[in-house]
Amino acid sequence: FRNKVLVELDGFHHFTKSGRRHDAARTAWLTRQGYQVLRFPNGLVTKDPERVCLIISATIAKRRRTR
Protein backbone atom coordinates (compact mmCIF):
# COMPACT_ATOMS: atom_id res chain seq x y z
CA PHE A 1 0.00 0.00 0.00
CA ARG A 2 2.97 2.31 0.43
CA ASN A 3 3.14 3.00 -3.31
CA LYS A 4 -0.64 3.13 -3.59
CA VAL A 5 -0.82 0.69 -6.48
CA LEU A 6 -3.75 -1.72 -6.43
CA VAL A 7 -3.99 -4.76 -8.69
CA GLU A 8 -7.38 -6.13 -9.61
CA LEU A 9 -7.93 -9.34 -11.52
CA ASP A 10 -11.07 -9.22 -13.58
CA GLY A 11 -13.17 -12.30 -14.22
CA PHE A 12 -16.15 -12.58 -16.55
CA HIS A 13 -18.53 -10.56 -14.37
CA HIS A 14 -16.33 -7.48 -14.76
CA PHE A 15 -17.15 -7.42 -18.47
CA THR A 16 -20.90 -7.12 -18.05
CA LYS A 17 -22.56 -3.72 -18.28
CA SER A 18 -23.20 -3.59 -14.52
CA GLY A 19 -19.72 -4.93 -13.77
CA ARG A 20 -18.06 -2.26 -15.90
CA ARG A 21 -20.18 0.42 -14.25
CA HIS A 22 -19.28 -0.85 -10.75
CA ASP A 23 -15.57 -1.06 -11.65
CA ALA A 24 -15.59 2.47 -13.08
CA ALA A 25 -17.12 3.90 -9.91
CA ARG A 26 -14.72 1.94 -7.69
CA THR A 27 -11.69 2.97 -9.74
CA ALA A 28 -12.78 6.62 -9.70
CA TRP A 29 -13.12 6.54 -5.91
CA LEU A 30 -9.75 4.83 -5.44
CA THR A 31 -8.09 7.29 -7.80
CA ARG A 32 -9.47 10.21 -5.78
CA GLN A 33 -7.88 8.57 -2.72
CA GLY A 34 -4.49 8.65 -4.48
CA TYR A 35 -4.33 5.04 -5.67
CA GLN A 36 -3.50 3.80 -9.12
CA VAL A 37 -5.58 0.79 -10.10
CA LEU A 38 -4.19 -1.77 -12.50
CA ARG A 39 -6.78 -4.15 -13.94
CA PHE A 40 -5.89 -7.40 -15.63
CA PRO A 41 -8.22 -9.97 -17.13
CA ASN A 42 -7.81 -13.37 -15.47
CA GLY A 43 -6.82 -14.87 -18.81
CA LEU A 44 -3.84 -12.57 -19.18
CA VAL A 45 -2.61 -13.42 -15.70
CA THR A 46 -2.69 -17.15 -16.41
CA LYS A 47 -1.34 -16.92 -19.98
CA ASP A 48 1.36 -14.29 -19.49
CA PRO A 49 2.14 -13.77 -15.79
CA GLU A 50 5.59 -12.40 -16.58
CA ARG A 51 4.07 -9.56 -18.60
CA VAL A 52 1.65 -8.76 -15.78
CA CYS A 53 4.51 -8.69 -13.26
CA LEU A 54 6.57 -6.41 -15.50
CA ILE A 55 3.67 -3.96 -15.82
CA ILE A 56 3.14 -3.96 -12.07
CA SER A 57 6.86 -3.48 -11.38
CA ALA A 58 7.14 -0.66 -13.91
CA THR A 59 4.11 1.09 -12.44
CA ILE A 60 5.52 0.90 -8.91
CA ALA A 61 8.92 2.16 -10.08
CA LYS A 62 7.30 5.10 -11.90
CA ARG A 63 5.26 6.06 -8.83
CA ARG A 64 8.38 5.94 -6.67
CA ARG A 65 10.19 8.31 -9.04
CA THR A 66 7.34 10.82 -9.10
CA ARG A 67 6.90 11.09 -5.35
Side-chain angles (χ1 to χ4, degrees):
F1 288 110
R2 179 178 9 163
N3 296 300
K4 291 197 166 196
V5 174
L6 299 176
V7 177
E8 297 208 359
L9 307 181
D10 292 346
F12 72 92
H13 62 280
H14 291 270
F15 299 103
T16 64
K17 188 174 184 177
S18 64
R20 286 190 303 268
R21 195 170 37 246
H22 174 79
D23 287 346
R26 178 177 161 76
T27 298
W29 185 85
L30 289 166
T31 300
R32 287 191 304 273
Q33 306 310 307
Y35 290 93
Q36 181 169 353
V37 180
L38 300 177
R39 293 186 171 281
F40 298 99
N42 287 343
L44 180 61
V45 175
T46 57
K47 290 178 185 169
D48 198 354
E50 293 85 9
R51 179 176 170 202
V52 172
C53 288
L54 286 172
I55 293 168
I56 294 167
S57 295
T59 301
I60 291 170
K62 182 178 177 182
R63 287 186 66 93
R64 284 181 179 162
R65 285 192 304 271
T66 59
R67 286 208 234 148

Coordinates of all heavy atoms in Angstrom, one line a residue:
F1 N 0.8 -1.2 0.0 CA 0.0 0.0 0.0 C 0.9 1.3 0.0 O 0.4 2.3 -0.3 CB -0.9 0.0 1.2 CG -2.1 -1.0 1.1 CD1 -2.1 -2.1 1.9 CD2 -3.1 -0.8 0.2 CE1 -3.1 -3.0 1.8 CE2 -4.1 -1.6 0.0 CZ -4.1 -2.8 0.8
R2 N 2.1 1.1 0.3 CA 3.0 2.3 0.4 C 3.0 3.1 -0.9 O 3.1 4.3 -0.9 CB 4.4 1.9 0.9 CG 5.4 3.0 1.0 CD 6.7 2.5 1.4 NE 6.8 1.0 1.4 CZ 7.9 0.3 1.5 NH1 9.0 0.9 1.5 NH2 7.8 -1.0 1.5
N3 N 3.1 2.3 -2.0 CA 3.1 3.0 -3.3 C 1.8 3.3 -3.9 O 1.7 3.9 -5.0 CB 3.9 2.1 -4.3 CG 5.4 2.0 -3.8 OD1 6.1 3.0 -3.7 ND2 5.8 0.8 -3.5
K4 N 0.7 2.9 -3.2 CA -0.6 3.1 -3.6 C -0.9 2.6 -5.0 O -1.6 3.3 -5.8 CB -1.0 4.6 -3.5 CG -1.0 5.1 -2.0 CD -1.8 6.4 -1.9 CE -2.1 6.6 -0.4 NZ -3.1 7.7 -0.3
V5 N -0.5 1.4 -5.2 CA -0.8 0.7 -6.5 C -1.7 -0.5 -6.1 O -1.3 -1.3 -5.3 CB 0.4 0.2 -7.2 CG1 0.1 -0.6 -8.4 CG2 1.3 1.4 -7.6
L6 N -2.9 -0.6 -6.7 CA -3.7 -1.7 -6.4 C -3.9 -2.5 -7.7 O -4.0 -2.0 -8.8 CB -5.1 -1.2 -6.0 CG -5.1 -0.4 -4.7 CD1 -6.5 0.1 -4.4 CD2 -4.7 -1.2 -3.5
V7 N -3.9 -3.8 -7.6 CA -4.0 -4.8 -8.7 C -5.3 -5.5 -8.6 O -5.6 -6.1 -7.5 CB -2.8 -5.8 -8.7 CG1 -3.0 -6.8 -9.9 CG2 -1.5 -5.0 -8.8
E8 N -6.1 -5.4 -9.6 CA -7.4 -6.1 -9.6 C -7.4 -7.1 -10.8 O -7.0 -6.7 -11.9 CB -8.5 -5.1 -9.7 CG -8.6 -4.2 -8.5 CD -10.0 -3.7 -8.1 OE1 -10.9 -4.1 -8.9 OE2 -10.1 -3.0 -7.1
L9 N -7.8 -8.3 -10.5 CA -7.9 -9.3 -11.5 C -9.4 -9.5 -11.9 O -10.2 -9.6 -11.0 CB -7.4 -10.7 -11.0 CG -6.0 -10.6 -10.4 CD1 -5.6 -12.0 -10.0 CD2 -5.0 -10.1 -11.4
D10 N -9.7 -9.3 -13.1 CA -11.1 -9.2 -13.6 C -11.5 -10.5 -14.3 O -11.0 -10.9 -15.3 CB -11.2 -8.1 -14.6 CG -11.1 -6.7 -13.9 OD1 -11.1 -6.7 -12.7 OD2 -11.0 -5.7 -14.6
G11 N -12.5 -11.1 -13.6 CA -13.2 -12.3 -14.2 C -14.3 -11.9 -15.1 O -14.5 -10.7 -15.4
F12 N -15.1 -12.8 -15.6 CA -16.1 -12.6 -16.6 C -17.2 -11.5 -16.1 O -17.7 -10.8 -16.9 CB -16.9 -13.9 -16.9 CG -17.8 -14.4 -15.9 CD1 -19.1 -14.1 -15.8 CD2 -17.3 -15.2 -14.9 CE1 -19.9 -14.6 -14.8 CE2 -18.1 -15.7 -13.9 CZ -19.4 -15.4 -13.9
H13 N -17.5 -11.5 -14.8 CA -18.5 -10.6 -14.4 C -18.1 -9.1 -14.5 O -18.9 -8.2 -14.5 CB -19.0 -10.9 -12.9 CG -17.9 -10.8 -11.9 ND1 -17.0 -11.8 -11.7 CD2 -17.6 -9.8 -11.1 CE1 -16.1 -11.4 -10.8 NE2 -16.5 -10.2 -10.4
H14 N -16.8 -8.9 -14.6 CA -16.3 -7.5 -14.8 C -16.6 -6.9 -16.2 O -16.5 -5.8 -16.4 CB -14.8 -7.4 -14.5 CG -14.5 -7.6 -13.0 ND1 -14.5 -6.6 -12.1 CD2 -14.3 -8.8 -12.3 CE1 -14.2 -7.1 -10.9 NE2 -14.0 -8.4 -11.0
F15 N -16.9 -7.8 -17.1 CA -17.1 -7.4 -18.5 C -18.6 -7.3 -18.8 O -19.0 -7.0 -20.0 CB -16.4 -8.4 -19.4 CG -15.0 -8.4 -19.2 CD1 -14.4 -9.5 -18.5 CD2 -14.1 -7.4 -19.6 CE1 -13.0 -9.5 -18.2 CE2 -12.8 -7.4 -19.3 CZ -12.2 -8.5 -18.6
T16 N -19.5 -7.4 -17.8 CA -20.9 -7.1 -18.1 C -21.1 -5.6 -17.9 O -20.3 -4.9 -17.4 CB -21.8 -7.9 -17.0 OG1 -21.5 -7.3 -15.7 CG2 -21.5 -9.4 -17.1
K17 N -22.3 -5.2 -18.4 CA -22.6 -3.7 -18.3 C -22.5 -3.3 -16.8 O -21.9 -2.2 -16.5 CB -23.9 -3.4 -18.9 CG -24.2 -2.0 -19.0 CD -25.6 -1.8 -19.8 CE -25.8 -0.3 -20.0 NZ -27.1 -0.1 -20.8
S18 N -23.2 -4.0 -15.9 CA -23.2 -3.6 -14.5 C -21.8 -3.7 -13.9 O -21.4 -2.9 -13.1 CB -24.2 -4.4 -13.7 OG -23.9 -5.8 -13.7
G19 N -21.1 -4.8 -14.3 CA -19.7 -4.9 -13.8 C -18.8 -3.8 -14.2 O -18.0 -3.3 -13.4
R20 N -18.9 -3.4 -15.4 CA -18.1 -2.3 -15.9 C -18.4 -1.0 -15.2 O -17.6 -0.2 -14.8 CB -18.2 -2.1 -17.4 CG -17.5 -3.2 -18.2 CD -17.4 -2.8 -19.7 NE -18.8 -2.6 -20.3 CZ -19.5 -3.6 -20.8 NH1 -19.0 -4.8 -20.9 NH2 -20.7 -3.3 -21.3
R21 N -19.7 -0.8 -15.0 CA -20.2 0.4 -14.2 C -19.7 0.4 -12.8 O -19.2 1.4 -12.3 CB -21.7 0.5 -14.3 CG -22.3 1.8 -13.9 CD -23.8 1.9 -14.2 NE -24.5 0.7 -13.9 CZ -25.2 0.0 -14.9 NH1 -25.1 0.4 -16.2 NH2 -25.9 -1.1 -14.6
H22 N -19.8 -0.7 -12.1 CA -19.3 -0.8 -10.8 C -17.8 -0.6 -10.7 O -17.3 0.1 -9.8 CB -19.6 -2.2 -10.2 CG -19.0 -2.5 -8.9 ND1 -19.6 -2.0 -7.7 CD2 -17.9 -3.2 -8.5 CE1 -18.9 -2.4 -6.7 NE2 -17.8 -3.1 -7.1
D23 N -17.0 -1.2 -11.6 CA -15.6 -1.1 -11.6 C -15.2 0.4 -11.9 O -14.2 0.9 -11.3 CB -14.9 -1.9 -12.7 CG -14.9 -3.4 -12.3 OD1 -15.2 -3.7 -11.2 OD2 -14.7 -4.2 -13.2
A24 N -15.9 1.1 -12.8 CA -15.6 2.5 -13.1 C -15.8 3.3 -11.8 O -14.9 4.2 -11.5 CB -16.4 3.0 -14.2
A25 N -16.9 3.1 -11.1 CA -17.1 3.9 -9.9 C -16.1 3.6 -8.9 O -15.6 4.5 -8.2 CB -18.5 3.6 -9.4
R26 N -15.7 2.3 -8.7 CA -14.7 1.9 -7.7 C -13.4 2.5 -8.0 O -12.7 3.1 -7.2 CB -14.7 0.4 -7.6 CG -13.6 -0.1 -6.7 CD -13.7 -1.7 -6.7 NE -12.5 -2.3 -6.2 CZ -12.2 -2.3 -4.9 NH1 -12.9 -1.8 -4.0 NH2 -11.1 -2.9 -4.5
T27 N -13.0 2.4 -9.3 CA -11.7 3.0 -9.7 C -11.6 4.5 -9.6 O -10.6 5.0 -9.1 CB -11.4 2.6 -11.2 OG1 -11.4 1.1 -11.3 CG2 -10.1 3.2 -11.7
A28 N -12.7 5.2 -9.9 CA -12.8 6.6 -9.7 C -12.6 7.0 -8.2 O -11.8 7.9 -7.9 CB -14.1 7.2 -10.2
W29 N -13.3 6.3 -7.3 CA -13.1 6.5 -5.9 C -11.7 6.3 -5.4 O -11.1 7.1 -4.7 CB -14.1 5.7 -5.1 CG -14.1 6.0 -3.7 CD1 -14.8 7.0 -3.0 CD2 -13.3 5.4 -2.6 NE1 -14.5 7.1 -1.7 CE2 -13.5 6.1 -1.4 CE3 -12.4 4.3 -2.6 CZ2 -12.9 5.7 -0.2 CZ3 -11.8 4.0 -1.5 CH2 -12.1 4.7 -0.3
L30 N -11.1 5.2 -5.9 CA -9.8 4.8 -5.4 C -8.8 5.9 -6.0 O -7.8 6.2 -5.3 CB -9.4 3.4 -5.9 CG -10.1 2.3 -5.1 CD1 -10.0 1.0 -5.9 CD2 -9.6 2.2 -3.7
T31 N -9.0 6.3 -7.2 CA -8.1 7.3 -7.8 C -8.1 8.6 -7.0 O -7.1 9.2 -6.8 CB -8.5 7.5 -9.3 OG1 -8.3 6.3 -10.0 CG2 -7.6 8.6 -9.9
R32 N -9.3 9.0 -6.6 CA -9.5 10.2 -5.8 C -8.8 10.1 -4.4 O -8.3 11.1 -3.9 CB -10.9 10.5 -5.6 CG -11.6 11.1 -6.8 CD -13.0 11.7 -6.5 NE -13.9 10.8 -5.8 CZ -14.7 9.9 -6.4 NH1 -14.7 9.8 -7.7 NH2 -15.5 9.1 -5.7
Q33 N -8.6 8.8 -4.0 CA -7.9 8.6 -2.7 C -6.4 8.5 -2.9 O -5.6 8.3 -2.0 CB -8.4 7.3 -2.1 CG -9.9 7.2 -1.9 CD -10.4 8.4 -1.2 OE1 -10.0 8.8 -0.1 NE2 -11.5 9.0 -1.8
G34 N -5.9 8.6 -4.2 CA -4.5 8.6 -4.5 C -3.9 7.3 -5.0 O -2.7 7.2 -5.1
Y35 N -4.8 6.4 -5.2 CA -4.3 5.0 -5.7 C -4.3 5.0 -7.2 O -5.1 5.7 -7.8 CB -5.2 3.9 -5.1 CG -5.1 3.7 -3.7 CD1 -5.9 4.4 -2.8 CD2 -4.1 2.8 -3.2 CE1 -5.8 4.2 -1.4 CE2 -4.0 2.6 -1.8 CZ -4.8 3.3 -0.9 OH -4.7 3.1 0.4
Q36 N -3.5 4.2 -7.7 CA -3.5 3.8 -9.1 C -4.0 2.4 -9.2 O -3.4 1.5 -8.5 CB -2.1 3.9 -9.8 CG -2.2 3.6 -11.3 CD -1.0 4.0 -12.0 OE1 -0.1 4.6 -11.5 NE2 -0.9 3.5 -13.3
V37 N -5.0 2.1 -10.0 CA -5.6 0.8 -10.1 C -5.1 0.2 -11.4 O -5.3 0.8 -12.5 CB -7.1 0.9 -10.0 CG1 -7.7 -0.5 -10.2 CG2 -7.6 1.5 -8.7
L38 N -4.5 -1.0 -11.3 CA -4.2 -1.8 -12.5 C -5.2 -2.9 -12.6 O -5.3 -3.7 -11.6 CB -2.8 -2.3 -12.4 CG -1.7 -1.3 -12.3 CD1 -0.3 -2.0 -12.1 CD2 -1.6 -0.4 -13.5
R39 N -5.8 -3.1 -13.7 CA -6.8 -4.1 -13.9 C -6.2 -5.1 -15.0 O -5.8 -4.7 -16.1 CB -8.1 -3.6 -14.4 CG -8.8 -2.8 -13.4 CD -10.2 -2.4 -13.8 NE -10.9 -1.8 -12.7 CZ -11.5 -2.5 -11.8 NH1 -11.5 -3.8 -11.8 NH2 -12.1 -1.8 -10.8
F40 N -6.3 -6.4 -14.7 CA -5.9 -7.4 -15.6 C -7.0 -8.5 -15.8 O -7.5 -8.9 -14.7 CB -4.6 -8.1 -15.1 CG -3.4 -7.1 -15.0 CD1 -3.1 -6.6 -13.8 CD2 -2.7 -6.8 -16.1 CE1 -2.0 -5.7 -13.7 CE2 -1.6 -5.9 -16.0 CZ -1.3 -5.4 -14.8
P41 N -7.3 -8.9 -17.0 CA -8.2 -10.0 -17.1 C -7.6 -11.3 -16.6 O -6.3 -11.4 -16.7 CB -8.5 -10.1 -18.6 CG -7.7 -9.0 -19.3 CD -6.9 -8.3 -18.2
N42 N -8.4 -12.1 -16.0 CA -7.8 -13.4 -15.5 C -7.0 -14.1 -16.5 O -6.0 -14.7 -16.2 CB -8.9 -14.3 -15.0 CG -9.5 -13.8 -13.7 OD1 -8.9 -12.9 -13.0 ND2 -10.7 -14.2 -13.3
G43 N -7.5 -14.1 -17.8 CA -6.8 -14.9 -18.8 C -5.4 -14.4 -19.1 O -4.5 -15.2 -19.3
L44 N -5.2 -13.1 -19.0 CA -3.8 -12.6 -19.2 C -2.9 -13.0 -18.1 O -1.7 -13.4 -18.3 CB -3.9 -11.0 -19.3 CG -2.5 -10.4 -19.5 CD1 -1.9 -10.8 -20.8 CD2 -2.7 -8.9 -19.5
V45 N -3.4 -13.0 -16.9 CA -2.6 -13.4 -15.7 C -2.2 -14.9 -15.8 O -1.0 -15.2 -15.5 CB -3.4 -13.2 -14.4 CG1 -2.6 -13.7 -13.2 CG2 -3.7 -11.7 -14.2
T46 N -3.1 -15.7 -16.3 CA -2.7 -17.1 -16.4 C -1.8 -17.4 -17.6 O -1.0 -18.3 -17.6 CB -3.9 -18.0 -16.4 OG1 -4.8 -17.7 -17.5 CG2 -4.7 -18.0 -15.1
K47 N -2.1 -16.7 -18.7 CA -1.3 -16.9 -20.0 C 0.0 -16.2 -20.0 O 0.9 -16.7 -20.7 CB -2.2 -16.5 -21.2 CG -3.4 -17.4 -21.4 CD -4.2 -16.8 -22.6 CE -5.4 -17.7 -22.7 NZ -6.4 -17.1 -23.7
D48 N 0.1 -15.1 -19.4 CA 1.4 -14.3 -19.5 C 1.7 -13.6 -18.2 O 1.7 -12.4 -18.1 CB 1.2 -13.3 -20.6 CG 2.6 -12.7 -21.1 OD1 3.6 -13.1 -20.5 OD2 2.6 -12.0 -22.1
P49 N 1.9 -14.4 -17.1 CA 2.1 -13.8 -15.8 C 3.4 -12.9 -15.8 O 3.4 -11.9 -15.0 CB 2.3 -15.0 -14.9 CG 2.6 -16.1 -15.7 CD 2.0 -15.8 -17.1
E50 N 4.4 -13.2 -16.6 CA 5.6 -12.4 -16.6 C 5.3 -11.0 -17.1 O 5.8 -10.0 -16.5 CB 6.7 -13.0 -17.5 CG 7.2 -14.3 -16.9 CD 6.4 -15.5 -17.3 OE1 5.4 -15.4 -18.2 OE2 6.6 -16.6 -16.8
R51 N 4.5 -10.9 -18.1 CA 4.1 -9.6 -18.6 C 3.3 -8.8 -17.5 O 3.6 -7.6 -17.3 CB 3.2 -9.7 -19.8 CG 2.7 -8.4 -20.4 CD 2.0 -8.7 -21.7 NE 1.3 -7.4 -22.1 CZ 0.3 -7.4 -22.9 NH1 -0.3 -8.5 -23.4 NH2 -0.2 -6.3 -23.3
V52 N 2.4 -9.4 -16.8 CA 1.7 -8.8 -15.8 C 2.6 -8.3 -14.7 O 2.5 -7.1 -14.2 CB 0.6 -9.7 -15.2 CG1 -0.1 -9.1 -14.0 CG2 -0.5 -10.0 -16.3
C53 N 3.5 -9.1 -14.3 CA 4.5 -8.7 -13.3 C 5.4 -7.5 -13.7 O 5.7 -6.6 -12.9 CB 5.4 -9.9 -12.9 SG 4.5 -11.1 -11.9
L54 N 5.8 -7.5 -15.0 CA 6.6 -6.4 -15.5 C 5.8 -5.1 -15.5 O 6.3 -4.0 -15.1 CB 7.0 -6.7 -16.9 CG 8.2 -7.7 -17.1 CD1 8.4 -8.1 -18.5 CD2 9.4 -7.2 -16.4
I55 N 4.5 -5.2 -15.8 CA 3.7 -4.0 -15.8 C 3.5 -3.4 -14.4 O 3.6 -2.2 -14.1 CB 2.3 -4.3 -16.5 CG1 2.5 -4.5 -18.0 CG2 1.3 -3.1 -16.2 CD1 1.2 -5.1 -18.6
I56 N 3.3 -4.4 -13.5 CA 3.1 -4.0 -12.1 C 4.4 -3.3 -11.6 O 4.4 -2.3 -10.9 CB 2.7 -5.2 -11.2 CG1 1.3 -5.6 -11.6 CG2 2.8 -4.8 -9.7 CD1 0.9 -7.0 -11.0
S57 N 5.6 -4.0 -11.8 CA 6.9 -3.5 -11.4 C 7.2 -2.1 -12.0 O 7.6 -1.2 -11.3 CB 8.0 -4.5 -11.8 OG 7.8 -5.7 -11.1
A58 N 6.9 -1.9 -13.3 CA 7.1 -0.7 -13.9 C 6.3 0.4 -13.3 O 6.7 1.6 -13.1 CB 6.9 -0.8 -15.4
T59 N 5.0 0.1 -13.0 CA 4.1 1.1 -12.4 C 4.6 1.5 -11.1 O 4.6 2.7 -10.7 CB 2.7 0.5 -12.4 OG1 2.3 0.1 -13.7 CG2 1.7 1.5 -11.8
I60 N 5.0 0.6 -10.3 CA 5.5 0.9 -8.9 C 6.8 1.8 -9.0 O 6.9 2.8 -8.3 CB 5.8 -0.4 -8.1 CG1 4.4 -1.1 -7.8 CG2 6.6 -0.1 -6.8 CD1 4.6 -2.4 -7.2
A61 N 7.7 1.4 -9.9 CA 8.9 2.2 -10.1 C 8.6 3.6 -10.5 O 9.2 4.5 -10.0 CB 9.8 1.5 -11.1
K62 N 7.7 3.8 -11.4 CA 7.3 5.1 -11.9 C 6.7 5.9 -10.8 O 7.0 7.1 -10.6 CB 6.3 5.0 -13.0 CG 5.9 6.3 -13.6 CD 4.9 6.2 -14.8 CE 4.5 7.5 -15.3 NZ 3.6 7.4 -16.4
R63 N 5.9 5.3 -10.0 CA 5.3 6.1 -8.8 C 6.3 6.5 -7.8 O 6.2 7.5 -7.2 CB 4.1 5.3 -8.2 CG 2.9 5.2 -9.1 CD 1.7 4.6 -8.5 NE 1.2 5.3 -7.3 CZ 0.2 6.2 -7.4 NH1 -0.3 6.5 -8.5 NH2 -0.2 6.7 -6.3
R64 N 7.3 5.6 -7.6 CA 8.4 5.9 -6.7 C 9.2 7.1 -7.2 O 9.6 8.0 -6.4 CB 9.3 4.8 -6.5 CG 8.8 3.7 -5.6 CD 9.7 2.6 -5.5 NE 9.2 1.5 -4.6 CZ 9.7 0.3 -4.5 NH1 10.7 -0.1 -5.3 NH2 9.1 -0.6 -3.7
R65 N 9.4 7.2 -8.5 CA 10.2 8.3 -9.0 C 9.4 9.6 -9.0 O 10.1 10.7 -8.9 CB 10.5 8.0 -10.5 CG 11.6 7.0 -10.7 CD 12.1 7.0 -12.1 NE 11.1 6.7 -13.1 CZ 10.7 5.5 -13.5 NH1 11.2 4.4 -13.1 NH2 9.7 5.5 -14.4
T66 N 8.1 9.6 -9.0 CA 7.3 10.8 -9.1 C 6.9 11.3 -7.7 O 6.1 12.2 -7.6 CB 6.1 10.6 -10.0 OG1 5.3 9.6 -9.5 CG2 6.5 10.3 -11.4
R67 N 7.3 10.7 -6.7 CA 6.9 11.1 -5.3 C 7.8 12.2 -4.9 O 8.9 12.4 -5.1 CB 7.0 9.9 -4.4 CG 5.9 8.9 -4.5 CD 5.6 8.3 -3.3 NE 5.6 7.0 -3.0 CZ 5.9 6.5 -1.8 NH1 6.4 7.1 -0.9 NH2 5.7 5.3 -1.4

